[in-house]
Amino acid sequence: MSEGRRTVLASVARALGRDGPDPAMRAELEQRLAQPRPNLIPGRANLPHSQRVALFVEMAREAAATVAVVRAREAVPEAVADYLRRENLPPELTIAPDPALEGLPWSSRPLLSVRSGRAHGSEAVSLTHAFAGIAETGTLLLRSGPDAPTTLNFLPDTNIVLIEAGRIVGAYEEAWAMLRASGAMPRTVNFITGPSRSADIEQTLQLGAHGPRRLHILLLDAGPAA
Amino acid sequence: MQATSRTFKENAHRALRDADLQVALAKMKQGFVERRALAAARLPEFEALRDQGRAIKDHTLAHLDFYLTCFEERVTEAGGHVHWAVDAEAAQDIVLEICRKAGARTVTKGKSMIGEEIAINEHLARHGIEPVETDLGEYIIQLRDEPPSHLIAPAIHVTTKQIAASFRKAHRDLDPARALEEPRTLLAEARGALRDRFLKADVGITGANFLIAETGSTVIVTNEGNGDLTQTLPRVHIVLASLEKLVPTLEDASTILRLLARSATGQEFSVYTTFSTGPRRAPDLDGPDEFHVVLLDNGRSRMLGTEFQEMLRCIRCGACLNHCPIYQSVGGHAYGWVYTGPMGAVLTPALIGLEEAGHLPNASTFCGRCEAVCPMRIPLPRMMRHWREREFERHLQPQRMRAGLKAWAFLARRPALYRLGARIAAKTLGLAGRRRGAFRTLPLAQGWTMSRDLPAPEGPTFQAQWRARGGR
């Protein structure tokens, strides 16, 4: 195994005609990694906050996600129950063990059965909490952690995602900056743009290949300050 | 897999007569090309991003020694393992060893071109471990025991009817009375059949679109979500990646991601882009206990520093295939191995040898569309020309072709003789073909006239006309 390593690296060194970068170059490369700098960022998402949120919604809808605006945190259970009723889905929900979700007033919806944890395969609907939203393509960023099991993003047929409007940034690079500020890289970072799909059968686009058939975004936005 | 690139010409003839394939290719020609053009036009910075993408990859390749060891360090710090594979056999052994240690009986697989390159499915199956492809297209061709025919749409050549037949054969519990004709019902059937496989697999194998030196992350891009189920549910996650997938930072990956989906499917962004760093953390509720990255060389380091180095910028988007008049006519299987279209015509000879794949760089009209749409601005036609030169230098072409080239070179170096010869030939052919206006056959050119007529020359030669017009 270490012989493979030696052989490959020796072959690369031979091709590059050097035995590793010289000290000055090494310092420069290490600097490039230690302080990553954005490359060109498209102008599309360089907008004031309210328009950025509007772009996020527009792009997410274009990717076949549905979006509902919720004005207050307490109204989330009702918004979830409404959505499930409208889509004819059973009133059963698996939520991520995230205080922001577990702390919601679920008791106001006694008909809704709510369980907290990971998914095992039989769950129909999950509710997760996005770390960030990226306006340029209507993309959600979810990171794994004890409060955010990755299986909830992929196993259930329907995935509902809560995101606060204040967490919506313009470009991917801004989301990376937020993530770095929050600590070490988690096991998994998921960029999610719309529900699962495939065009592998006669180039016909269909939703719900292996991941969720429906992606519903609850945008928590208190609206313009009075 | 056994390459059949040597019989490219026969493969191509067969493909041209395959009516189902021709329908699929016509559809592809329209769909992919149009959608890419729309997506590129919608992003004003698209061309500037292509320049930056090229610069990022060139920088990484120039310092590949540094970035490879950096990546390895970060993976190890995150609790993962990096395995270095010189060639396909070494990679097969590494994967099999990890699977055996895990006591694996079934392995789910996300889509991976490296998996195809090292024929990992055959290797695992030979040793009693069942590999299950989970990308819908890959699953279909696995059932049909075929290689992929397109980089991102591996089953593009298969009809709905053929898929239904494969499912009926493979899914034993399928009710024979159940209608399967619609793409919708086929998808539901595959989803149902694979769900159980996802949950029961012992090991999940994925490819990687990028490796990130800064964080030691591997990145996959999918629309189905199959790759994520593959790498999240089993106890062990193995990533198959080749050396040139490295980029320095998350920002660099983001720049190239802006090009990837738009060039590939014309989407603004693929549905799932996933960054994996090490195994699950102790308090996590899910995720794999083990994280392995197999770094495959298989001839790539030998391309570094040569006229083929720029091929290592390729991000496998498939735009060159979609826009290639040859690929559009014969599809992917004619190329006879894993990589197809213009990128395959350049990469395949480097990986399996020019003796085996010499036809491929010749299967080009040099129209230049591949280079025009390549998000990484890879000069594909130029590199096909380099292969043709090497082919000539190494005497790999048939004697008759070499004799013909020699005769032509003799004339081309003697302009007066060349002009005289052209004049006589144009005159003779013009006279002989006066009545019909074209030739159905010509001595020494049966190969050319087999599938088309040669129009009879009319009037003086081009050079004579050019002179008569005073060179304007």
Side-chain angles (χ1 to χ4, degrees):
Chain A
M1 204 150 65
S2 58
E3 193 197 317
R5 183 181 192 275
R6 260 197 309 279
T7 313
V8 173
L9 285 175
S11 178
V12 171
R14 209 162 35 243
L16 297 179
R18 69 181 192 187
D19 186 17
D22 62 51
M25 179 51 79
R26 176 175 289 277
E28 196 183 314
L29 296 172
E30 271 164 4
Q31 178 67 15
R32 197 185 185 290
L33 293 185
Q35 279 169 344
R37 270 213 297 264
N39 305 300
L40 172 68
I41 295 180
R44 175 193 286 185
N46 186 10
L47 297 166
H49 178 71
S50 65
Q51 289 173 43
R52 206 190 305 146
V53 173
L55 177 65
F56 170 81
V57 171
E58 183 193 326
M59 294 307 289
R61 285 188 174 141
E62 190 184 299
T66 51
V67 184
V69 177
V70 187
R71 289 296 175 203
R73 202 169 281 276
E74 303 77 59
V76 170
E78 189 187 332
V80 170
D82 283 352
Y83 174 75
L84 296 182
R85 195 162 348 104
R86 217 170 41 244
E87 295 293 322
N88 249 336
L89 293 165
E92 283 169 22
L93 189 65
T94 307
I95 67 172
D98 178 329
L101 301 182
E102 287 179 332
L104 294 169
W106 295 109
S107 52
S108 68
R109 292 277 137 186
L111 292 181
L112 199 60
S113 126
V114 179
R115 180 184 77 84
S116 164
R118 60 161 284 178
H120 294 279
S122 56
E123 300 79 2
V125 185
S126 62
L127 174 67
T128 55
H129 187 198
F131 177 82
I134 298 150
E136 67 170 302
T137 45
T139 300
L140 295 161
L141 189 162
L142 285 101
R143 46 147 202 67
S144 65
D147 57 346
T150 305
T151 41
L152 290 180
N153 303 338
F154 294 98
L155 277 173
D157 256 16
T158 302
N159 180 208
I160 307 176
V161 185
L162 175 70
I163 180 165
E164 293 84 1
R167 306 291 295 180
I168 293 176
V169 296
Y172 312 123
E173 286 80 350
E174 296 167 65
W176 290 129
M178 275 166 74
L179 192 74
R180 285 197 189 102
S182 80
M185 195 76 178
R187 148 71 192 172
T188 305
V189 174
N190 292 123
F191 281 17
I192 301 179
T193 314
S196 157
R197 69 201 61 192
S198 173
D200 272 346
I201 299 178
E202 291 199 347
Q203 302 170 59
T204 310
L205 184 71
Q206 306 178 77
L207 296 185
H210 291 294
R213 288 169 223 259
R214 299 181 201 80
L215 178 70
H216 185 59
I217 300 173
L218 293 178
L219 175 63
L220 184 57
D221 191 352
Chain B
M1 69 182 265
Q2 188 62 44
T4 63
S5 308
R6 276 177 195 270
T7 55
F8 176 82
K9 288 183 182 176
E10 292 78 3
N11 304 350
H13 278 296
R14 216 170 23 248
L16 288 167
R17 287 193 302 267
D18 182 337
D20 288 337
L21 177 66
Q22 292 302 321
V23 171
L25 291 172
K27 202 164 171 183
M28 175 205 84
K29 199 154 101 184
Q30 217 184 359
F32 276 125
V33 169
E34 223 166 70
R35 284 195 294 273
R36 179 210 166 266
L38 288 174
R42 207 174 152 190
L43 191 67
E45 294 88 351
F46 193 75
E47 295 304 313
L49 285 167
R50 288 175 67 186
D51 293 335
Q52 291 208 335
R54 171 176 59 187
I56 291 166
K57 283 280 192 178
D58 282 348
H59 167 85
T60 315
L61 292 172
H63 303 289
L64 195 59
D65 47 1
F66 172 80
Y67 286 121
L68 280 169
T69 45
C70 253
F71 173 76
E72 182 188 36
E73 271 170 41
R74 304 295 148 84
V75 172
T76 313
E77 278 165 22
H81 307 272
V82 173
H83 310 262
W84 303 72
V86 176
D87 54 21
E89 289 79 54
Q92 288 178 340
D93 291 345
I94 292 165
V95 174
L96 181 63
E97 181 64 22
I98 299 170
C99 290
R100 277 188 172 151
K101 270 198 190 139
R105 291 168 59 189
T106 66
V107 170
T108 41
K109 275 199 65 232
K111 188 169 154 24
S112 159
M113 292 310 289
I114 299 300
E116 299 289 342
E117 188 179 320
I118 67 172
I120 193 61
N121 287 357
E122 288 85 334
H123 191 70
L124 291 177
R126 239 191 336 269
H127 292 86
I129 297 171
E130 186 191 7
V132 182
E133 292 286 354
T134 63
D135 170 87
L136 182 57
E138 290 281 343
Y139 179 65
I140 291 166
I141 61 168
Q142 187 185 24
L143 292 182
R144 290 168 57 84
D145 196 18
E146 282 179 326
S149 75
H150 189 285
L151 268 179
I152 60 162
I156 197 164
H157 59 285
V158 190
T159 64
T160 305
K161 223 189 229 156
Q162 292 168 327
I163 299 170
S166 296
F167 284 5
R168 286 196 195 284
K169 209 166 117 197
H171 301 176
R172 303 260 162 72
D173 51 352
L174 182 60
D175 177 2
R178 188 159 152 226
L180 272 186
E181 282 62 44
E182 295 283 312
R184 194 171 43 81
T185 47
L186 286 170
L187 176 70
E189 173 61 22
R191 182 184 165 108
L194 283 169
R195 194 39 82 99
D196 203 40
R197 313 305 304 262
F198 278 125
L199 293 165
K200 290 193 179 136
D202 307 296
V203 173
I205 301 180
T206 67
N209 292 81
F210 303 95
L211 306 173
I212 299 178
E214 173 204 352
T215 54
S217 310
T218 66
V219 184
I220 57 167
V221 179
T222 80
N223 276 323
E224 299 185 4
N226 66 302
D228 290 280
L229 291 171
T230 299
Q231 65 168 53
T232 305
L233 295 169
R235 245 180 17 75
V236 179
H237 176 198
I238 304 176
V239 179
L240 303 177
S242 48
L243 307 181
E244 81 280 16
K245 295 286 137 196
L246 266 167
V247 292
T249 64
L250 294 166
E251 277 75 0
D252 295 320
S254 303
T255 297
I256 302 177
L257 280 168
R258 287 195 179 95
L259 296 164
L260 178 58
R262 290 183 173 95
S263 299
T265 56
Q267 284 170 285
E268 284 285 312
F269 212 52
S270 299
V271 178
Y272 302 112
T273 301
T274 300
F275 300 75
S276 307
T277 314
R280 78 200 279 178
R281 312 293 186 253
D284 288 356
L285 300 179
D286 53 21
D289 297 330
E290 291 177 34
F291 177 66
H292 299 270
V293 182
V294 179
L295 276 180
L296 176 72
D297 184 339
N298 209 23
R300 286 164 177 85
S301 59
R302 278 202 310 272
M303 294 167 74
L304 267 182
T306 71
E307 63 264 57
F308 301 108
Q309 168 164 331
E310 290 179 87
M311 189 61 218
L312 299 175
R313 289 204 300 263
C314 177
I315 56 173
R316 311 286 191 262
C317 69
C320 62
L321 282 58
N322 298 336
H323 289 76
C324 174
I326 307 296
Y327 183 94
Q328 286 172 355
S329 307
V330 302
H333 283 167
Y335 291 81
W337 198 57
V338 174
Y339 301 103
T340 63
M343 61 78 62
V346 174
L347 191 58
T348 307
L351 299 186
I352 64 173
L354 196 53
E355 292 79 2
E356 200 67 54
H359 279 310
L360 305 190
N362 287 289
S364 167
T365 63
F366 281 169
C367 71
R369 287 176 84 193
C370 50
E371 183 174 356
V373 298
C374 173
M376 305 311 286
R377 298 200 192 282
I378 300 171
L380 292 157
R382 197 179 78 206
M383 288 192 282
M384 285 184 237
R385 223 160 15 232
H386 289 317
W387 280 126
R388 293 186 192 186
E389 283 161 20
R390 287 204 183 183
E391 200 182 16
F392 185 80
E393 282 159 15
R394 288 169 53 190
H395 295 257
L396 292 174
Q397 290 138 326
Q399 263 319 308
R400 244 174 84 180
M401 189 169 169
R402 293 185 67 83
L405 280 171
K406 263 202 189 116
W408 185 84
F410 177 84
L411 283 170
R413 282 197 220 103
R414 293 164 179 81
L417 196 59
Y418 186 97
R419 278 197 295 275
L420 177 71
R423 210 160 61 229
I424 294 170
K427 196 123 209 182
T428 324
L429 286 173
L431 278 173
R434 205 171 27 183
R435 206 131 47 90
R436 283 200 60 238
F439 297 92
R440 281 217 185 129
T441 59
L442 271 179
L444 296 175
Q446 286 94 335
W448 201 90
T449 53
M450 200 158 65
S451 49
R452 53 229 194 268
D453 290 353
L454 178 76
E458 291 174 21
T461 64
F462 171 78
Q463 292 205 12
Q465 292 186 46
W466 186 252
R467 250 197 326 276
R469 292 173 49 165
R472 274 192 311 257

